[in-house]
Amino acid sequence: DAGVIQSPRHEVTEMGQEVTLRCKPISGHNSLFWYRQTMMRGLELLIYFNNNVPIDDSGMPEDRFSAKMPNASFSTLKIQPSEPRDSAVYFCASRPGAGNSNQPQHFGDGTRLSIL
Amino acid sequence: KQEVTQIPAALSVPEGENLVLNCSFTDSAIYNLQWFRQDPGKGLTSLLLIQSSQREQTSGRLNASLDKSSGRSTLYIAASQPGDSATYLCAARIGSEKLVFGKGTKLTVNP
């Protein structure tokens, strides 16, 4: 059974460029999460979707960040324009069930983003 | 605002030793408490999930406990092995789906 798949694994780009991170959740999982991990702040939830609908985007740091989930098998996190302080590892996770389900989240291996 | 703290930030032990990792949280109104393992360059792997009504969960050499009243959880690893070396994170689930993570304890088990 394939896990959560993220691409690219590494991204290096210059400040001001648009960055698009991609995620394919585990088939049948209907909750999807985007996280950012930095040394200073640890792991933080940016946004999550339930049945392709954004439920809570309060963790999205600025309007430069946007996320979409056009269907149950694909999601994107976009940063436009990118800034050096956006450098971090971005994780996608998915989970079966919704609401009060106590199923754990399954994480992808992350995208290591470096903005020069 | 929920805050999750893990102490120590790093721990080094000899192989075979039993050890305890600590996690504390400020708000006892949690749905569950989860322990994850993170290997370098990898995502998180769920180890144990303790529901708010439970006191502990066990999986193999791992045992996690939860004391909501004191805002504490511990992860006990028995007979540690070099393969246990990783960063261990705890997370408290609050609200509908949100997990609040600690910054982790980096464990090194020396052969």
Side-chain angles (χ1 to χ4, degrees):
Chain A
D1 184 19
V4 175
I5 299 173
Q6 292 186 245
S7 64
R9 288 297 316 277
H10 303 274
E11 174 89 13
V12 181
T13 192
E14 292 186 349
M15 182 176 69
Q17 297 297 307
E18 178 180 290
V19 174
T20 300
L21 311 181
R22 298 172 176 80
C23 175
K24 176 178 171 57
I26 294 173
S27 177
H29 286 194
N30 54 15
S31 294
L32 182 140
F33 308 82
W34 282 101
Y35 292 90
R36 179 171 67 176
Q37 187 176 41
T38 62
M39 289 291 292
M40 287 294 294
R41 300 175 66 90
L43 200 63
E44 301 173 291
L45 177 66
L46 300 177
I47 185 172
Y48 79 88
F49 295 82
N50 188 35
N51 291 324
N52 312 337
V53 176
I55 302 300
D56 184 351
D57 65 354
S58 61
M60 297 286 263
E62 300 173 32
D63 291 345
R64 298 184 295 106
F65 286 69
S66 62
K68 294 183 179 180
M69 192 166 185
N71 57 63
S73 60
F74 183 67
S75 177
T76 60
L77 178 67
K78 187 172 293 187
I79 308 172
Q80 167 63 18
S82 58
E83 297 183 4
R85 59 194 169 116
D86 301 331
S87 298
V89 182
Y90 291 81
F91 288 102
C92 176
S94 68
R95 189 177 70 77
N100 291 320
S101 170
N102 277 308
Q103 294 293 315
Q105 296 179 18
H106 297 256
F107 282 73
D109 285 340
T111 294
R112 184 172 295 275
L113 178 63
S114 297
I115 309 297
L116 306 177
Chain B
K1 176 184 175 184
Q2 178 73 270
E3 293 183 2
V4 178
T5 304
Q6 292 186 248
I7 295 173
L11 180 65
S12 181
V13 300
E15 181 177 3
E17 189 164 301
N18 302 325
L19 60 99
V20 174
L21 306 181
N22 297 295
C23 172
S24 62
F25 47 95
T26 54
D27 188 343
S28 62
I30 63 172
Y31 283 93
N32 60 48
L33 192 291
Q34 302 180 39
W35 284 92
F36 293 85
R37 168 182 173 141
Q38 186 174 25
D39 292 287
K42 296 291 187 178
L44 280 67
T45 300
S46 178
L47 297 173
L48 290 166
L49 183 154
I50 312 174
Q51 298 183 26
S52 61
S53 59
Q54 297 176 322
R55 297 283 293 183
E56 65 178 331
Q57 282 285 334
T58 297
S59 175
R61 294 182 294 108
L62 306 180
N63 175 276
S65 68
L66 174 63
D67 184 344
K68 281 180 56 178
S69 62
S70 66
R72 292 181 181 179
S73 177
T74 62
L75 178 66
Y76 175 83
I77 302 177
S80 58
Q81 303 170 0
D84 295 330
S85 298
T87 297
Y88 291 81
L89 295 97
C90 68
R93 181 178 162 185
I94 62 172
S96 55
E97 288 280 2
K98 189 169 184 176
L99 291 181
V100 179
F101 283 85
K103 290 189 176 180
T105 294
K106 184 176 182 179
L107 173 66
T108 302
V109 181
N110 301 300

